[in-house]
Amino acid sequence: MASIVVPSFRGADRLPKLLDSLAAQDAAPSFEVIVVVDGVDDGSVALLENESRLDARSIVFPENRGRVAALNAGFEAARGDVLIRCDDDLVPRPDYVSAHVNSHRDGPGGVIGLYLNEYSTTPYAEVYGKDADERFRRDAYGSAPSMAWRYWAGNCSITRAIWDSVGPYDPEYRLYGWEDVDYGYRIREAGFEVRLAPELETPHRVAAVTTAIRARRASHSGAARRLFERKHPQAGLPDAIPGWSLWNALVRGLSRIPLKPARLGGAVDVLLRFLPRGVGRKVVALSVESAALGGYRSPHSAKERF
């Protein structure tokens, strides 16, 4: 049996498509679906109570506790031998469950399926988001197998043996990002293989559809990276502070200006309507990269800069 754990915050609009996809699995092994409603019941609980096609249940937090708490509660309640993390904005293909389960036939390990990001039509998506997504997947598949843990995210699975050995996600990660990378690294450090599985690429309805959202998340991710480095100084990540070049000097300089990333990103989104495509791509990249570096340099202010 497999368990699918879905952390969800205000997900009532996203969950129907996910549940429809899970109900349409072809020749899947038996599985349960556990949706952890993180503090805001916007109709998600009723949606799950009325779901008759699946073995689905909810865990409801009385207040927002964050993604790490949601993941841990879901995995702790799971009954399956294969534990699948599935974000509520994924659209699994018909062989999703069977592919995750089959990927563990040879023994315990961590398996990652990359996102196939689907963007709504926005200036950000057209000049930056779609190209960045393609580069990300190309770089991921071209990376050394020993570094696959860096891509642990919202479409992954482990065996119960790994959960029992590695334990829960780390609750110190409270802002956006790196709780997943931390978990992937801990799997590897525990002596298990972590690998990318191209057959598990899954459509993903992207939430970061503007520069404002992307820059805000980059700031939080930069701050969370600092926490990861403190916990795992031996991990061998490339330097977060970019080397010297004209471009990097611009990134470094902008990262020191106390601007709210979302406000700067919002201004960029307005400019994208008027800028040539190539120029717009550079302006978005500058906004995102400087936000990430700013969050890294001042992790304690990242929340205030949200």
Side-chain angles (χ1 to χ4, degrees), residues 105-270:
R105 296 294 188 197
D106 295 332
V111 177
I112 304 164
L114 296 181
Y115 295 149
L116 289 174
N117 287 328
E118 298 178 342
Y119 289 87
S120 55
T121 302
T122 65
Y124 163 84
E126 296 304 314
V127 306
Y128 183 85
K130 293 178 181 179
D131 289 343
D133 180 47
E134 291 179 4
R135 290 196 304 273
F136 176 85
R137 288 202 306 277
R138 184 172 61 248
D139 291 346
Y141 289 128
S143 66
S146 62
M147 299 299 286
W149 55 269
R150 291 185 61 186
Y151 300 98
W152 198 262
N155 174 24
C156 55
S157 59
I158 56 176
T159 58
R160 179 160 295 280
I162 289 182
W163 176 256
D164 291 341
S165 176
V166 175
Y169 283 74
D170 190 335
E172 279 200 65
Y173 292 91
R174 296 186 178 89
L175 296 178
Y176 174 84
W178 286 83
E179 76 283 347
D180 296 312
V181 180
D182 180 278
Y183 203 80
Y185 182 74
R186 288 165 55 203
I187 293 173
R188 179 178 176 275
E189 285 297 279
F192 299 102
E193 179 188 20
V194 178
R195 68 179 182 88
L196 295 169
E199 69 274 13
L200 280 167
E201 287 186 352
T202 300
H204 171 240
R205 294 162 287 164
V206 178
V209 295
T210 67
T211 311
I213 298 172
R214 183 67 183 84
R216 183 177 62 195
R217 291 187 170 194
S219 175
H220 280 196
S221 182
R225 174 179 172 145
R226 181 61 68 91
L227 174 60
F228 177 89
E229 290 180 349
R230 176 172 62 79
K231 288 178 169 293
H232 308 293
Q234 74 283 12
L237 292 175
D239 196 343
I241 307 296
W244 289 104
S245 69
L246 178 58
W247 174 260
N248 288 340
L250 291 172
V251 172
R252 286 169 175 257
L254 188 57
S255 72
R256 294 185 181 280
I257 299 175
L259 295 172
K260 290 186 176 181
R263 183 172 297 174
L264 175 61
V268 171
D269 287 321
V270 173

Side-chain angles (χ1 to χ4, degrees), residues 38-56:
D38 188 12
V40 177
D41 181 11
D42 56 351
S44 297
V45 174
L47 185 69
L48 291 160
E49 289 176 344
N50 292 324
E51 174 55 63
S52 59
R53 300 166 298 176
L54 296 164
D55 177 6

Side-chain angles (χ1 to χ4, degrees), residues 53-69:
R53 300 166 298 176
L54 296 164
D55 177 6
R57 55 195 167 104
S58 62
I59 297 172
V60 184
F61 289 168
E63 69 285 323
N64 178 239
R65 294 171 55 191
R67 187 162 57 185
V68 167

